[in-house]
């Protein structure tokens, strides 16, 4: 078990951000649980002081009795608030990659190893989640967070708290794990034609006419059938494109960073992301070429994930 110095124990950020991120399960004990009176608890203290003042002024034994009774309830509440969290074991779970703009999902597991129910638990990341644990129950909890940029997004501080039993105190424990989610670039929102790499059969595959499943768009060329013009794109002012089918292109496709026209790096990656998704959907064997990195031809979920990861970490 890691030991903390006196300086670290009283570091202010520890009470809100928690200790160093951990890969292991975290048991909640006296070192990790903090307790302070809530607004209701402070109001309760004011009531006790008023009763004590009345008892002292009028020398009323009944008022003294009521004051000490409420004071005992107040101090016993500290112990029960601590026990609401003490002994719980929290462990990190798995995180699936998402696209930028979607909500990241962080999974954690909470284990109650004792034969006592845990009531009024609250888990807070960006949104608060209420829960109750039965005796010996282990529960998986999903926490959501917004995403804006590609790359690895850390989970941040997870706060587990409880106001049990009377809400006079708030016991909380800030937790940090080595937990992050991989955020892919945001796919280009519109359909765009696959790049023409000019690599012949080695890069683009053989050209064969056919009428298989639709897989993408290509700039309109003289001689293309009017029936295949993508009129929706033309109406939106995006240009004149022809619908392409899987039999019209070879089953191999290279996606080049240089071929993804854009005003900046993020726009190029967004277009490449769209091509990867469309190529996978069309059942094409495709490869990815980035500056300093090349992913060979392939198809399938694992290949798709490898290409998207390369785009996310580029």
């Amino acid at each position: 078990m890691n030991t903390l110095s006196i300086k670290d124990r009283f570091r202010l950020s520890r009470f809100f951000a928690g200790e160093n991120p951990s890969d292991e399960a975290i048991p909640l004990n006296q070192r990790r649980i903090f307790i302070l009176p809530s607004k209701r608890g402070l109001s309760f203290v004011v009531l006790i002081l008023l009763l004590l003042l009345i008892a002292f002024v009028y020398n009323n034994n009944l008022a003294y009795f009521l004051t000490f009774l409420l004071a005992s309830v107040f101090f016993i509440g500290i112990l029960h608030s601590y026990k609401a969290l003490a002994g719980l074991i929290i462990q990190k779970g798995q995180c699936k990659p998402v696209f930028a703009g979607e909500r990241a999902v962080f999974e954690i597991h909470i284990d109650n190893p004792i034969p006592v129910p845990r009531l009024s638990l609250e888990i807070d990341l960006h949104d608060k989640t209420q829960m109750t644990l039965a005796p010996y129950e282990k529960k998986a909890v999903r926490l959501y967070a917004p995403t804006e940029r590609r790359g690895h997004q850390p989970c941040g501080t997870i706060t587990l708290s409880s106001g049990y039993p009377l809400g006079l105190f708030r016991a909380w424990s800030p937790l940090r794990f080595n937990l992050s989610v991989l955020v892919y670039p945001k796919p280009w929102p519109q359909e765009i034609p696959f790049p023409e790499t000019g690599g012949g059969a080695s890069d683009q595959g053989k050209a064969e006419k056919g009428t298989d499943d639709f897989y993408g768009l290509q700039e309109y060329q003289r001689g293309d059938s009017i029936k295949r013009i993508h009129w929706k794109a033309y109406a939106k002012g995006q240009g004149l494109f022809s619908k392409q089918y899987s039999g019209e292109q070879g089953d191999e496709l290279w996606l080049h960073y240089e071929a993804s026209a854009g005003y900046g790096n993020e726009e190029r990656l967004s277009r490449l992301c769209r091509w990867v998704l469309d190529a996978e959907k069309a059942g094409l064997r495709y490869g990815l070429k980035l500056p300093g990195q090349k992913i060979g031809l392939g198809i399938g979920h694992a290949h798709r994930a490898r290409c998207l990861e390369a785009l996310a970490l580029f």
Side-chain angles (χ1 to χ4, degrees), residues 266-285:
E266 296 304 321
E267 187 171 323
R268 285 176 177 265
L269 295 176
S270 179
R271 289 174 177 265
L272 285 169
C273 183
R274 167 56 62 188
W275 282 336
V276 168
L277 298 179
D278 289 346
E280 183 68 34
K281 183 178 180 181
L284 300 175
R285 294 182 72 248

Side-chain angles (χ1 to χ4, degrees), residues 21-37:
S22 172
D23 287 314
E24 305 296 329
I26 299 177
L28 300 189
N29 51 31
Q30 70 278 4
R31 195 185 80 181
R32 290 187 174 270
I33 299 175
F34 309 105
I35 304 175
L36 281 177

Side-chain angles (χ1 to χ4, degrees), residues 68-195:
F68 295 137
L69 178 62
L70 294 179
S72 64
V73 170
F74 181 81
F75 289 111
I76 291 176
I78 300 176
L79 178 61
H80 285 280
S81 296
Y82 169 78
K83 286 186 175 182
L85 299 181
L88 291 176
I89 301 174
I90 295 85
Q91 190 172 9
K92 68 177 183 178
Q94 300 294 327
C95 297
K96 294 183 179 180
V98 297
F99 293 96
E102 297 179 345
R103 291 200 303 171
V105 182
F106 299 98
E107 184 178 87
I108 63 170
H109 300 275
I110 304 178
D111 183 17
N112 179 20
I114 63 175
V116 176
R118 306 302 182 103
L119 307 175
S120 301
L121 296 179
E122 187 175 271
I123 307 172
D124 186 12
L125 183 58
H126 287 268
D127 297 316
K128 295 182 179 180
T129 302
Q130 304 283 344
M131 65 175 298
T132 297
L133 286 176
Y136 300 113
E137 182 181 9
K138 185 174 183 179
K139 184 177 292 187
V141 181
R142 292 184 175 182
L143 306 174
Y144 300 91
T147 61
E148 296 181 357
R149 298 181 179 179
R150 60 184 176 87
H152 286 291
Q153 176 169 315
C155 178
T157 301
I158 299 171
T159 303
L160 182 62
S161 63
S162 176
Y164 182 82
L166 300 176
L168 300 180
F169 293 90
R170 179 177 180 267
W172 80 95
S173 180
L175 307 169
R176 287 198 295 167
F177 293 97
N178 288 319
L179 183 63
S180 63
V181 64
L182 182 61
V183 181
Y184 298 144
K186 185 177 182 179
W188 191 254
Q190 302 164 346
E191 294 178 338
I192 51 177
F194 286 128

